[in-house]
Structure formats: structure tokens, C-alpha cells
Amino acid sequence: MQCSEAFYRDCFMEALKNQKTGDTEKAKTVEMLQKLEERNEADLDSDDEEEIRLEERLAGLDLDKDTDTIWDKLSKKEKEEFESMIEDGRMGHLVHNWSPWWLKQEDLVEEIGVSTSKCPEIKCDVHDLSALLSNKKPSENIKHNLISVLYAYVCVTRLNNGDTSTDPLEIAQEVLSLCQVIGQDRIFESTEEAIQDGINSVQKQECQSVREEFVISVIKDVELIIYGPKRGQSHGYSLAALSDLHTILVTASKLCSKVKKKADSKLPDLSNVKKQLFAARKKTEFYLSWLSSEYGACIFETLLPLKMLYAQKMTDFEKHNQTLTSLEDNLDQLRHNSQKKTLIEELL
């Protein structure tokens, strides 16, 4: 399945999962699907086989549990129409608008009334860094590597609309694919290098749904996480983000073990994935120990580079858009002049 289709399918599934509160909202979802079918029937050729009605296709399916199956039951035109509804905002009232927990700042909540999701619990049983390093001094590059981890975590969390519990194995693999620090033992020597690698990794996924503005906005998210709830006075949000990632990796590892125990030849071999998850979990635990130590304050040194990088990329992005807009306006004017000239010549 291509990435763009997976994105729309996930939006569809999210819309269905958000209808668990009552029959009225579920009825609205079914009504929407009915309208998609009616549009399809109007476009069917007479030579085509008679299409099975939507009621029959969805018969016996549970809107809460069978979201994957329901998506597969939709015709090609129904899926295309649904994608169009996502693009133009018609599905906005069905998909829950998740607000990241790291947007909450303690001294701003009462003033602007920000409604955000709950901050993840911080892992308590963290190893002492001196014991892990045998009293050796940690590398200066750790703060840059941690930026890479946070960028991947934020990116994947946002792309999944805050839902990291429905499929933790897929979420974990997405983080590993975007973060070479915990996925491939990469070491970064600057904050800028770590961020750029994260942006490149996202763009290499070739997801049509991920726009340039999104990958830039994640930089601001990372800055807010490091800044923390007390405006640069604690590591609360950084520790919470790493703790949440650690929970995802642990849960994903357990799922790998369950798949292995089933011994089903049709299931994929996840032994290598499990090894990667184990290594990523240990690295995440190390970063938790580093942040909790006296060296953790070094993470605040990345704030200025992050601010500058975000400002520069947003400026470049806006200039690029302005240039495109100007070119489009000029082309429209040229077309208009050309049409006007042709009309005059015909009249003469």
C-alpha cells in the first residue's frame, strides 16, 4: 500500500474510532458512506458488473473494531471521494483534533486557555549515568543525538494524530526509520545536522501527505519540548517524551514476542525487528539517564540553534511560496493577454 493511501486509510479509521460515543454519530458515518456509494453508482458504466450495495458489503461489520475491513470494502471511487473529503476539510468534524501535550506552558495556560492532551508519565527507575559510563565523561555529541530522537518522536506522533497505542509496533518502526541515532548508531556533531537528517528521512519516505511546512514546524515542537513546562527550568517534557518513546518500544517488543510464540508460518519473521527494538530501548534508557544527570543541562544549549534554524527555514519556505505565487500570477496574466490578443485578431 502506498504511503498516501495509508494516510487516508488511517484518517478513515480515526474517524470511525471517534464515533464510539453514540449511535447518532455512527449513523452519520454510515450516511456519509452511503453518499459516496450513490455518487459511484451514478458513474458506473452499463457494461460493468452490478456492484454490491453498501449495506451488503458492511453487513455484520463493527464500526468500532473492523475499520481495516471497512476500508477494504470501499470501492476505488469511494476511496478517491474520501481522499477528496480529507483534502477539502469535509472530514474535519469526524476526526478528533489532537493537541500535543508539549504545547502547554505553565505560565500561559490560564492566560490563553490551551486545551492539550495529557503529558506522558516520566519513567522513574532510571539508571545512574556514572554507573553506565564507569565514571567516564559522556560525549559532547549526546545533546545533538537526542535532538534527532526527539524530532523523530514528534514527527511520528503528529503524523498519527497523537495515537501511539493502537499499533505501537508500526509506530516504533516508523521512529526507527526516521532516527538513525537509535536505528543505525548514527552520531551527529551539530543540532543543525541532526535536524536536517530528520527532515531528509521524512522526505525520503515519499509520503505525499507530508508537506514542507510540516517538517519545519516539527523543529518548533522539539524546541518546545526542550524548553519544557517551566520555560527552560527543567527537563520535564524531554523526559516525558523519552519515557513515552520507551513505553512504545517496550510494547512493540512484547508484540514481537507474541507473534513469534504463535509460530504461524504466514506471519513475517520479526526476530531482526525485535533486536532493533531492544537496542533502541537501551539507547532511550541511556538518554533518560543522561538527561537526569548533571550533564543533562547541556540540552538547553541546543535551544538557540533550534530557534535560528526554525526561523531560517520558515523564511526560506515563505520566500519560496511568494516566488511561486508571483510566477503563477505572471503566467495567468500572460495567458489572459494571449487570449485577449487572439480574440482581437479574430475580430479583425
Side-chain angles (χ1 to χ4, degrees):
M1 180 179 293
Q2 294 181 348
C3 186
S4 57
E5 182 179 349
F7 168 75
Y8 292 116
R9 181 200 64 187
D10 291 342
C11 289
F12 176 84
M13 293 168 63
E14 179 68 22
L16 291 185
K17 284 184 287 184
N18 286 332
Q19 310 307 318
K20 295 182 180 180
T21 55
D23 295 334
T24 302
E25 294 301 323
K26 290 181 181 180
K28 289 181 180 179
T29 304
V30 174
E31 181 182 355
M32 177 199 72
L33 294 174
Q34 290 280 13
K35 289 180 180 179
L36 293 182
E37 184 193 33
E38 289 172 4
R39 293 189 185 186
N40 286 342
E41 289 178 347
D43 296 333
L44 288 175
D45 296 326
S46 57
D47 294 334
D48 290 343
E49 295 183 4
E50 183 176 355
E51 187 176 350
I52 302 175
R53 292 191 62 79
L54 184 65
E55 295 96 327
E56 297 179 30
R57 282 183 277 152
L58 300 185
L61 296 179
D62 188 325
L63 287 181
D64 291 339
K65 300 178 181 178
D66 302 324
T67 49
D68 269 318
T69 306
I70 293 173
W71 174 260
D72 292 336
K73 293 290 184 180
L74 298 182
S75 66
K76 180 180 178 181
K77 281 191 171 295
E78 286 168 344
K79 291 179 180 179
E80 289 175 351
E81 177 64 16
F82 183 84
E83 293 170 7
S84 175
M85 294 173 72
I86 291 291
E87 294 288 351
D88 61 25
R90 282 177 286 162
M91 280 295 296
H93 68 287
L94 290 176
V95 180
H96 171 64
N97 186 22
W98 177 73
S99 182
W101 48 267
W102 56 79
L103 298 182
K104 180 179 178 181
Q105 296 290 318
E106 287 189 356
D107 58 342
L108 297 179
V109 176
E110 293 183 2
E111 180 181 348
I112 62 177
V114 178
S115 178
T116 56
S117 53
K118 185 179 180 180
C119 179
E121 293 185 5
I122 296 176
K123 181 176 169 60
C124 297
D125 52 336
V126 176
H127 296 291
D128 184 80
L129 183 66
S130 60
L132 296 176
L133 296 178
S134 301
N135 294 319
K136 294 181 181 178
K137 186 177 180 180
S139 170
E140 293 287 338
N141 293 324
I142 291 179
K143 58 180 179 287
H144 307 310
N145 294 344
L146 184 52
I147 294 298
S148 173
V149 177
L150 292 176
Y151 186 92
Y153 166 79
V154 170
C155 192
V156 172
T157 304
R158 272 201 176 274
L159 287 175
N160 286 276
N161 201 33
D163 181 10
T164 58
S165 59
T166 300
D167 193 347
L169 181 54
E170 181 178 348
I171 296 295
Q173 289 179 293
E174 288 177 3
V175 173
L176 263 61
S177 69
L178 297 182
C179 180
Q180 296 190 54
V181 169
I182 60 175
Q184 302 176 28
D185 296 326
R186 177 75 182 273
I187 297 176
F188 296 107
E189 297 183 355
S190 70
T191 297
E192 293 82 359
E193 183 185 11
I195 290 294
Q196 190 57 55
D197 182 79
I199 293 175
N200 293 341
S201 296
V202 175
Q203 293 174 336
K204 285 180 182 178
Q205 301 299 317
E206 297 182 353
C207 290
Q208 297 178 10
S209 58
V210 178
R211 300 178 180 179
E212 181 73 15
E213 189 174 10
F214 170 79
V215 295
I216 297 174
S217 69
V218 174
I219 302 175
K220 172 59 74 173
D221 285 324
V222 173
E223 178 191 332
L224 290 174
I225 288 178
I226 294 173
Y227 205 57
K230 296 183 179 180
R231 302 177 65 83
Q233 297 178 22
S234 73
H235 303 306
Y237 281 175
S238 298
L239 290 170
L242 288 177
S243 297
D244 192 30
L245 176 58
H246 185 269
T247 299
I248 294 170
L249 294 171
V250 170
T251 307
S253 296
K254 291 179 179 178
L255 287 175
C256 285
S257 299
K258 288 182 179 179
V259 171
K260 187 176 182 180
K261 288 179 180 179
K262 290 181 179 179
D264 190 336
S265 58
K266 296 181 181 180
L267 294 173
D269 183 12
L270 297 177
S271 56
N272 289 333
V273 175
K274 189 175 180 180
K275 290 179 181 178
Q276 292 177 339
L277 291 173
F278 176 79
R281 176 164 60 88
K282 289 300 180 183
K283 291 175 185 177
T284 304
E285 291 174 359
F286 174 81
Y287 289 122
L288 281 166
S289 297
W290 181 83
L291 265 180
S292 302
S293 72
E294 60 182 306
Y295 296 102
C298 295
I299 194 65
F300 293 128
E301 297 173 5
T302 65
L303 283 173
L304 181 58
L306 286 171
K307 287 178 181 291
M308 296 176 62
L309 189 60
Y310 173 75
Q312 181 60 54
K313 287 191 173 294
M314 280 303 298
T315 299
D316 293 342
F317 174 76
E318 291 169 357
K319 286 183 179 179
H320 178 69
N321 279 350
Q322 290 173 359
T323 301
L324 287 180
T325 301
S326 178
L327 287 173
E328 290 172 356
D329 290 342
N330 290 336
L331 286 174
D332 288 341
Q333 186 63 41
L334 287 173
R335 293 192 190 100
H336 176 73
N337 293 339
S338 177
Q339 292 173 355
K340 186 177 180 179
K341 181 179 179 181
T342 302
L343 179 61
I344 294 174
E345 292 175 348
E346 290 177 353
L347 291 174
L348 294 175

mmCIF file of all heavy atoms in Angstrom, residues 2-7 159 174 178 201-212 214-215:
data_model
loop_
_atom_site.group_PDB
_atom_site.id
_atom_site.type_symbol
_atom_site.label_atom_id
_atom_site.label_comp_id
_atom_site.label_asym_id
_atom_site.label_seq_id
_atom_site.Cartn_x
_atom_site.Cartn_y
_atom_site.Cartn_z
ATOM 1 N N GLN A 2 0.598 2.193 -0.915
ATOM 2 C CA GLN A 2 1.381 3.403 -0.982
ATOM 3 C C GLN A 2 1.123 4.259 0.240
ATOM 4 O O GLN A 2 0.078 4.200 0.858
ATOM 5 C CB GLN A 2 1.030 4.176 -2.247
ATOM 6 C CG GLN A 2 1.432 3.429 -3.519
ATOM 7 C CD GLN A 2 1.087 4.240 -4.757
ATOM 8 O OE1 GLN A 2 0.366 5.221 -4.668
ATOM 9 N NE2 GLN A 2 1.611 3.824 -5.889
ATOM 10 N N CYS A 3 2.116 5.118 0.541
ATOM 11 C CA CYS A 3 2.044 5.917 1.762
ATOM 12 C C CYS A 3 0.829 6.828 1.779
ATOM 13 O O CYS A 3 0.172 6.991 2.793
ATOM 14 C CB CYS A 3 3.311 6.750 1.898
ATOM 15 S SG CYS A 3 3.421 7.650 3.447
ATOM 16 N N SER A 4 0.497 7.439 0.610
ATOM 17 C CA SER A 4 -0.638 8.358 0.572
ATOM 18 C C SER A 4 -1.932 7.632 0.876
ATOM 19 O O SER A 4 -2.793 8.138 1.594
ATOM 20 C CB SER A 4 -0.725 9.028 -0.804
ATOM 21 O OG SER A 4 -0.827 8.059 -1.830
ATOM 22 N N GLU A 5 -2.101 6.422 0.326
ATOM 23 C CA GLU A 5 -3.326 5.663 0.601
ATOM 24 C C GLU A 5 -3.382 5.260 2.065
ATOM 25 O O GLU A 5 -4.452 5.283 2.694
ATOM 26 C CB GLU A 5 -3.400 4.407 -0.281
ATOM 27 C CG GLU A 5 -4.689 3.624 -0.053
ATOM 28 C CD GLU A 5 -4.794 2.389 -0.926
ATOM 29 O OE1 GLU A 5 -3.980 2.240 -1.850
ATOM 30 O OE2 GLU A 5 -5.699 1.563 -0.669
ATOM 31 N N ALA A 6 -2.222 4.904 2.626
ATOM 32 C CA ALA A 6 -2.180 4.534 4.042
ATOM 33 C C ALA A 6 -2.595 5.712 4.913
ATOM 34 O O ALA A 6 -3.283 5.545 5.918
ATOM 35 C CB ALA A 6 -0.771 4.075 4.419
ATOM 36 N N PHE A 7 -2.192 6.904 4.512
ATOM 37 C CA PHE A 7 -2.556 8.102 5.274
ATOM 38 C C PHE A 7 -4.068 8.285 5.278
ATOM 39 O O PHE A 7 -4.670 8.519 6.325
ATOM 40 C CB PHE A 7 -1.884 9.324 4.650
ATOM 41 C CG PHE A 7 -2.416 10.638 5.165
ATOM 42 C CD1 PHE A 7 -2.071 11.101 6.422
ATOM 43 C CD2 PHE A 7 -3.269 11.409 4.387
ATOM 44 C CE1 PHE A 7 -2.558 12.307 6.895
ATOM 45 C CE2 PHE A 7 -3.759 12.618 4.853
ATOM 46 C CZ PHE A 7 -3.404 13.058 6.111
ATOM 47 N N LEU A 159 2.052 12.779 12.984
ATOM 48 C CA LEU A 159 1.506 12.143 11.789
ATOM 49 C C LEU A 159 0.429 11.123 12.124
ATOM 50 O O LEU A 159 -0.456 10.846 11.309
ATOM 51 C CB LEU A 159 2.621 11.476 10.980
ATOM 52 C CG LEU A 159 3.563 12.417 10.231
ATOM 53 C CD1 LEU A 159 4.684 11.638 9.566
ATOM 54 C CD2 LEU A 159 2.793 13.226 9.190
ATOM 55 N N GLU A 174 8.375 3.151 12.601
ATOM 56 C CA GLU A 174 8.419 4.455 11.939
ATOM 57 C C GLU A 174 9.473 5.354 12.589
ATOM 58 O O GLU A 174 10.218 6.047 11.894
ATOM 59 C CB GLU A 174 7.041 5.126 12.010
ATOM 60 C CG GLU A 174 6.007 4.476 11.099
ATOM 61 C CD GLU A 174 4.639 5.113 11.257
ATOM 62 O OE1 GLU A 174 4.509 6.085 12.026
ATOM 63 O OE2 GLU A 174 3.686 4.647 10.605
ATOM 64 N N LEU A 178 13.077 6.893 10.887
ATOM 65 C CA LEU A 178 13.350 8.331 10.796
ATOM 66 C C LEU A 178 14.554 8.764 11.621
ATOM 67 O O LEU A 178 15.110 9.830 11.372
ATOM 68 C CB LEU A 178 12.127 9.138 11.250
ATOM 69 C CG LEU A 178 10.846 8.994 10.423
ATOM 70 C CD1 LEU A 178 9.765 9.899 10.982
ATOM 71 C CD2 LEU A 178 11.110 9.311 8.960
ATOM 72 N N SER A 201 15.033 12.294 6.172
ATOM 73 C CA SER A 201 14.457 10.970 6.389
ATOM 74 C C SER A 201 12.954 10.969 6.146
ATOM 75 O O SER A 201 12.412 10.041 5.551
ATOM 76 C CB SER A 201 14.753 10.489 7.818
ATOM 77 O OG SER A 201 16.142 10.332 8.026
ATOM 78 N N VAL A 202 12.279 12.029 6.596
ATOM 79 C CA VAL A 202 10.835 12.130 6.375
ATOM 80 C C VAL A 202 10.534 12.249 4.888
ATOM 81 O O VAL A 202 9.645 11.582 4.357
ATOM 82 C CB VAL A 202 10.245 13.344 7.127
ATOM 83 C CG1 VAL A 202 8.765 13.514 6.784
ATOM 84 C CG2 VAL A 202 10.411 13.168 8.623
ATOM 85 N N GLN A 203 11.294 13.089 4.208
ATOM 86 C CA GLN A 203 11.055 13.308 2.777
ATOM 87 C C GLN A 203 11.382 12.078 1.946
ATOM 88 O O GLN A 203 10.774 11.862 0.895
ATOM 89 C CB GLN A 203 11.871 14.517 2.309
ATOM 90 C CG GLN A 203 11.386 15.827 2.928
ATOM 91 C CD GLN A 203 12.248 17.023 2.597
ATOM 92 O OE1 GLN A 203 13.441 16.872 2.283
ATOM 93 N NE2 GLN A 203 11.674 18.210 2.659
ATOM 94 N N LYS A 204 12.315 11.246 2.410
ATOM 95 C CA LYS A 204 12.657 10.016 1.695
ATOM 96 C C LYS A 204 11.534 8.983 1.748
ATOM 97 O O LYS A 204 11.483 8.063 0.936
ATOM 98 C CB LYS A 204 13.935 9.405 2.268
ATOM 99 C CG LYS A 204 15.204 10.128 1.862
ATOM 100 C CD LYS A 204 16.426 9.471 2.478
ATOM 101 C CE LYS A 204 17.695 10.227 2.101
ATOM 102 N NZ LYS A 204 18.899 9.628 2.728
ATOM 103 N N GLN A 205 10.645 9.144 2.745
ATOM 104 C CA GLN A 205 9.524 8.214 2.848
ATOM 105 C C GLN A 205 8.541 8.413 1.701
ATOM 106 O O GLN A 205 7.681 7.584 1.466
ATOM 107 C CB GLN A 205 8.786 8.414 4.180
ATOM 108 C CG GLN A 205 9.641 8.209 5.408
ATOM 109 C CD GLN A 205 10.210 6.812 5.511
ATOM 110 O OE1 GLN A 205 9.510 5.836 5.259
ATOM 111 N NE2 GLN A 205 11.468 6.705 5.878
ATOM 112 N N GLU A 206 8.661 9.539 1.011
ATOM 113 C CA GLU A 206 7.833 9.862 -0.155
ATOM 114 C C GLU A 206 6.351 9.846 0.189
ATOM 115 O O GLU A 206 5.511 9.380 -0.584
ATOM 116 C CB GLU A 206 8.118 8.889 -1.304
ATOM 117 C CG GLU A 206 9.551 8.978 -1.805
ATOM 118 C CD GLU A 206 9.820 8.056 -2.972
ATOM 119 O OE1 GLU A 206 8.934 7.256 -3.301
ATOM 120 O OE2 GLU A 206 10.901 8.153 -3.544
ATOM 121 N N CYS A 207 6.012 10.352 1.371
ATOM 122 C CA CYS A 207 4.612 10.477 1.759
ATOM 123 C C CYS A 207 4.058 11.762 1.169
ATOM 124 O O CYS A 207 4.498 12.855 1.525
ATOM 125 C CB CYS A 207 4.468 10.505 3.293
ATOM 126 S SG CYS A 207 4.818 8.917 4.059
ATOM 127 N N GLN A 208 3.087 11.662 0.276
ATOM 128 C CA GLN A 208 2.527 12.844 -0.362
ATOM 129 C C GLN A 208 1.786 13.724 0.641
ATOM 130 O O GLN A 208 1.568 14.902 0.400
ATOM 131 C CB GLN A 208 1.571 12.420 -1.486
ATOM 132 C CG GLN A 208 2.277 11.664 -2.609
ATOM 133 C CD GLN A 208 1.315 11.226 -3.682
ATOM 134 O OE1 GLN A 208 0.159 11.640 -3.700
ATOM 135 N NE2 GLN A 208 1.777 10.378 -4.582
ATOM 136 N N SER A 209 1.375 13.127 1.761
ATOM 137 C CA SER A 209 0.603 13.882 2.746
ATOM 138 C C SER A 209 1.485 14.771 3.626
ATOM 139 O O SER A 209 0.989 15.649 4.316
ATOM 140 C CB SER A 209 -0.192 12.921 3.639
ATOM 141 O OG SER A 209 0.678 12.022 4.291
ATOM 142 N N VAL A 210 2.811 14.547 3.602
ATOM 143 C CA VAL A 210 3.733 15.323 4.434
ATOM 144 C C VAL A 210 4.252 16.511 3.635
ATOM 145 O O VAL A 210 4.933 16.339 2.633
ATOM 146 C CB VAL A 210 4.909 14.460 4.925
ATOM 147 C CG1 VAL A 210 5.869 15.303 5.737
ATOM 148 C CG2 VAL A 210 4.391 13.299 5.757
ATOM 149 N N ARG A 211 3.932 17.699 4.089
ATOM 150 C CA ARG A 211 4.333 18.899 3.376
ATOM 151 C C ARG A 211 5.583 19.517 4.000
ATOM 152 O O ARG A 211 5.939 19.224 5.131
ATOM 153 C CB ARG A 211 3.184 19.920 3.388
ATOM 154 C CG ARG A 211 1.914 19.388 2.732
ATOM 155 C CD ARG A 211 0.795 20.410 2.817
ATOM 156 N NE ARG A 211 -0.424 19.912 2.188
ATOM 157 C CZ ARG A 211 -1.554 20.582 2.132
ATOM 158 N NH1 ARG A 211 -1.633 21.785 2.697
ATOM 159 N NH2 ARG A 211 -2.618 20.073 1.535
ATOM 160 N N GLU A 212 6.210 20.406 3.238
ATOM 161 C CA GLU A 212 7.426 21.075 3.679
ATOM 162 C C GLU A 212 7.183 21.853 4.971
ATOM 163 O O GLU A 212 8.011 21.855 5.881
ATOM 164 C CB GLU A 212 7.916 22.024 2.581
ATOM 165 C CG GLU A 212 9.192 22.767 2.911
ATOM 166 C CD GLU A 212 10.430 21.882 2.855
ATOM 167 O OE1 GLU A 212 10.352 20.772 2.290
ATOM 168 O OE2 GLU A 212 11.464 22.297 3.399
ATOM 169 N N PHE A 214 5.201 21.177 7.314
ATOM 170 C CA PHE A 214 5.092 20.275 8.462
ATOM 171 C C PHE A 214 6.464 19.924 9.024
ATOM 172 O O PHE A 214 6.686 20.009 10.244
ATOM 173 C CB PHE A 214 4.355 18.998 8.076
ATOM 174 C CG PHE A 214 4.405 17.931 9.126
ATOM 175 C CD1 PHE A 214 3.574 17.977 10.228
ATOM 176 C CD2 PHE A 214 5.314 16.882 9.038
ATOM 177 C CE1 PHE A 214 3.628 17.011 11.218
ATOM 178 C CE2 PHE A 214 5.380 15.901 10.017
ATOM 179 C CZ PHE A 214 4.530 15.968 11.108
ATOM 180 N N VAL A 215 7.398 19.518 8.174
ATOM 181 C CA VAL A 215 8.713 19.098 8.662
ATOM 182 C C VAL A 215 9.449 20.265 9.318
ATOM 183 O O VAL A 215 10.294 20.060 10.200
ATOM 184 C CB VAL A 215 9.573 18.480 7.529
ATOM 185 C CG1 VAL A 215 8.952 17.204 7.014
ATOM 186 C CG2 VAL A 215 9.793 19.462 6.391
#
